[in-house]
Amino acid sequence: MMLKKAINYIPITIVFVLLATGCKNYQATVTQAQLNLPDTFAGKADTTTIATIPIRQFFPDQQLVSLIDSALRANPDVLSTLQRVEIARANLRLNASRLLPQISGAANGGVEKYGDFTQNGVGNYDTNLSPNINGNQRIPNPVPNYFLGFQSSWEVDLWGKLNNRKKAAFARFLASQSGYKLLITTLTSQIAGNYYQLMALDAEMAILRKNIGLQNRALEIVKIQKEGGRATELAVQQFEAQLKRTKGLQFNVSQQIRETQNQLNFLLGNYTGNIKRDTSIIIEKLPDVLKAGVPSQMLLNRPDIRAAEYELIAMNADIKAARASFLPTLTLTPYVGYNSFKAGLLFDPGSFTWGILGGLTAPIFNRAALKADLNRTIAESKVALYGYQKTILNGFQEVSNHLGGIENYQKAYDYKQQELESLNKALSVANDLYLVGRANYLEIITAQRSVLDAELELAQTKRNIFLSAVNLYQSVGGGWK
């Protein structure tokens, strides 16, 4: 079929009706978040925040920093999230390209047989009899049609529909980048938490081994005393039961160490491997600065809040694009190239042709579907709004909890140290009294068990301090720089 120059029109009265209806009934419902954040966390207005501290400066333990670096290179979640960023980048480019004319090369060929009693058949027959044409211009029947050139299609963005789709894609691209940062903060927190848990378990294992040695010596003493008539078999069995209990605790801790190491290897993208770590959590130091700043800083630093904010921006742009779908669309389709009904004449200068087709279309019978899509988009934007507000509320509560955790666990640790000091003195006194016959074996066993429990709780409390510090670092938006 030969290309023809044409332009399609919609009656201007329909356009005006559509414009009026669209503007009246489908105003863009832009969703705005109303935030009533407190001015401070727990009444502290200091704007110093650990969120700005890079990972290498926040964690003084270089072995921990090395583990985090390894995870960022090999963790499967990190690698897949990077691909999601690339997907969002490609979607942005796709939506940006729709604002520009789509140009394609075309090479078409075809043939058509005109009937004798058709408009083209009669017209071509009459044309062939005209003395004003030469042999090359006579139209055969059937008539071939050849075209070689460029064709284009361009939807003119009259109402900003395509531009809003581009804005939505750009916001989702930024959200994907924030999602990547969120994964980095989460991964950093998980690795640091498991690392300090592993150090605490190592400390517990060392405590159990030390106490097993002490209890072994106590058992040997009571056995000797039994032989000398100063102790009974009951005392021997009680000491032996306590020793077996402590040995059994070793295997529980050993299993926890195995599971924690496996979890760290999983985060590192490894199957197995010994995790290099410091020797004792008791002497490990906390970061020098543990301040949360003010809540408004959290909005800028936390990646999950930024991602939720970008999604809200994207949904508002989607609403505007859905509203613009009710309005007329102007599409231009220009072309340029060579067109001929004889292959030998295709590249003849006389076969050069160009043209432009213009079409103005507007929805009439599919408005119910467009309205449903608009309502769906508005509802989704409200979901995004509530998600944004929930993320902020959750972030505030996390910061508050971890700030309190650092302070309260530190106080508990100080009292636990004092308790342990008193229990060690009590055990020493009980041993002396037992040797001179002024204390019984149950007092020794009770004192030993109390010391063991206090030492284990001390290690666990120190671990809780470190976990609160790590969680605070994550909750204020640190850990991705």
Side-chain angles (χ1 to χ4, degrees):
M1 181 183 294
M2 299 183 64
L3 295 176
K4 300 179 180 179
K5 304 172 186 176
I7 184 166
N8 299 323
Y9 295 99
I10 291 181
I12 199 70
T13 54
I14 295 180
V15 175
F16 286 155
V17 170
L18 293 173
L19 283 170
T21 304
C23 293
K24 179 179 179 181
N25 296 332
Y26 303 111
Q27 293 291 335
T29 305
V30 179
T31 306
Q32 297 289 343
Q34 300 296 327
L35 303 178
N36 296 312
L37 269 174
D39 295 330
T40 64
F41 294 111
K44 299 178 181 179
D46 188 357
T47 58
T48 303
T49 173
I50 56 177
T52 59
I53 302 177
I55 294 174
R56 293 180 178 275
Q57 294 181 18
F58 183 79
F59 295 111
D61 192 328
Q62 293 306 307
Q63 294 185 94
L64 171 57
V65 173
S66 178
L67 291 176
I68 295 172
D69 288 341
S70 298
L72 296 182
R73 292 191 298 268
N75 182 270
D77 289 332
V78 172
L79 299 178
S80 62
T81 301
L82 283 172
Q83 295 308 307
R84 292 190 186 97
V85 174
E86 290 304 312
I87 292 172
R89 191 195 307 274
N91 187 54
L92 172 59
R93 291 172 177 169
L94 174 64
N95 282 275
S97 68
R98 288 172 177 165
L99 288 164
L100 304 174
Q102 308 300 306
I103 301 175
S104 58
N108 303 324
V111 64
E112 184 174 358
K113 170 69 170 66
Y114 294 113
D116 292 339
F117 304 107
T118 63
Q119 180 179 358
N120 286 329
V122 174
N124 292 342
Y125 178 80
D126 191 50
T127 299
N128 288 338
L129 297 178
S130 172
N132 297 323
I133 63 173
N134 58 39
N136 288 334
Q137 293 175 320
R138 298 188 185 281
I139 304 172
N141 191 15
V143 57
N145 182 51
Y146 303 100
F147 177 81
L148 181 64
F150 298 95
Q151 295 176 342
S152 178
S153 176
W154 181 29
E155 179 181 343
V156 182
D157 194 22
L158 295 175
W159 319 110
K161 177 178 66 176
L162 300 180
N163 189 49
N164 277 305
R165 287 177 180 172
K166 176 187 173 183
K167 289 179 180 179
F170 181 64
R172 290 192 170 96
F173 168 66
L174 295 178
S176 71
Q177 289 185 320
S178 293
Y180 173 72
K181 294 175 183 178
L182 174 61
L183 177 62
I184 299 303
T185 65
T186 303
L187 184 61
T188 299
S189 177
Q190 289 177 338
I191 291 176
N194 280 279
Y195 182 82
Y196 290 128
Q197 169 73 3
L198 197 55
M199 289 179 62
L201 292 170
D202 287 342
E204 290 181 25
M205 184 64 77
I207 291 168
L208 290 171
R209 288 170 180 167
K210 181 194 73 173
N211 279 270
I212 287 173
L214 295 174
Q215 291 172 11
N216 263 321
R217 287 195 290 273
L219 179 60
E220 293 300 323
I221 291 172
V222 78
K223 284 181 177 179
I224 293 173
Q225 288 180 335
K226 177 193 171 186
E227 292 176 358
R230 294 184 57 194
T232 64
E233 179 64 20
L234 179 59
V236 172
Q237 292 300 320
Q238 290 279 15
F239 275 98
E240 191 162 350
Q242 176 168 261
L243 176 61
K244 289 179 179 179
R245 171 184 176 273
T246 307
K247 287 183 176 179
L249 291 176
Q250 262 191 314
F251 293 98
N252 290 334
V253 174
S254 179
Q255 178 61 22
Q256 292 179 51
I257 289 175
R258 177 188 292 271
E259 291 177 0
T260 306
Q261 284 205 109
N262 286 340
Q263 179 63 22
L264 276 169
N265 277 310
F266 171 76
L267 295 173
L268 295 172
N270 298 331
Y271 288 100
T272 58
N274 183 53
I275 302 298
K276 294 181 180 180
R277 54 195 182 271
D278 204 344
T279 55
S280 175
I281 196 172
I282 302 299
I283 61 175
E284 185 82 357
K285 293 182 178 180
L286 284 168
D288 296 331
V289 179
L290 289 174
K291 295 184 178 180
V294 294
S296 58
Q297 292 173 304
M298 182 182 66
L299 301 181
L300 299 176
N301 293 323
R302 276 187 64 125
D304 56 341
I305 293 179
R306 297 307 301 272
E309 180 184 354
Y310 288 132
E311 181 60 28
L312 189 59
I313 294 172
M315 291 307 306
N316 284 329
D318 285 341
I319 291 174
K320 294 177 181 179
R323 173 183 173 270
S325 297
F326 289 91
L327 305 175
T329 300
L330 174 62
T331 303
L332 302 178
T333 54
Y335 63 90
V336 62
Y338 291 93
N339 187 203
S340 173
F341 52 75
K342 291 183 180 180
L345 298 174
L346 182 60
F347 295 103
D348 188 278
S351 297
F352 180 77
T353 182
W354 63 269
I356 182 169
L357 305 177
L360 189 64
T361 59
I364 297 178
F365 298 109
N366 61 334
R367 294 174 66 79
L370 294 175
K371 183 178 179 180
D373 182 63
L374 176 62
N375 291 335
R376 175 191 59 80
T377 306
I378 292 174
E380 288 179 348
S381 73
K382 292 180 180 179
V383 172
L385 170 64
Y386 301 141
Y388 178 57
Q389 293 173 333
K390 179 182 177 181
T391 303
I392 294 174
L393 181 62
N394 179 67
F396 183 87
Q397 299 299 331
E398 286 181 354
V399 174
S400 179
N401 288 339
H402 300 319
L403 277 173
I406 293 173
E407 182 178 356
N408 290 322
Y409 285 130
Q410 184 61 57
K411 291 179 179 178
Y413 182 80
D414 294 338
Y415 279 110
K416 186 61 65 176
Q417 281 184 312
Q418 297 173 24
E419 176 190 350
L420 181 59
E421 184 179 350
S422 298
L423 289 173
N424 279 320
K425 290 179 180 179
L427 177 59
S428 178
V429 171
N431 283 327
D432 292 341
L433 293 175
Y434 181 73
L435 292 175
V436 298
R438 297 182 60 185
N440 59 45
Y441 68 89
L442 289 177
E443 292 174 304
I444 297 295
I445 292 174
T446 301
Q448 288 179 340
R449 179 171 296 185
S450 297
V451 170
L452 172 61
D453 291 343
E455 288 179 331
L456 293 176
E457 290 173 6
L458 187 69
Q460 293 166 4
T461 305
K462 189 64 179 289
R463 176 205 61 194
N464 290 339
I465 295 173
F466 276 97
L467 292 181
S468 293
V470 170
N471 291 332
L472 178 65
Y473 187 44
Q474 179 190 10
S475 64
V476 296
W480 56 268
K481 294 182 180 180

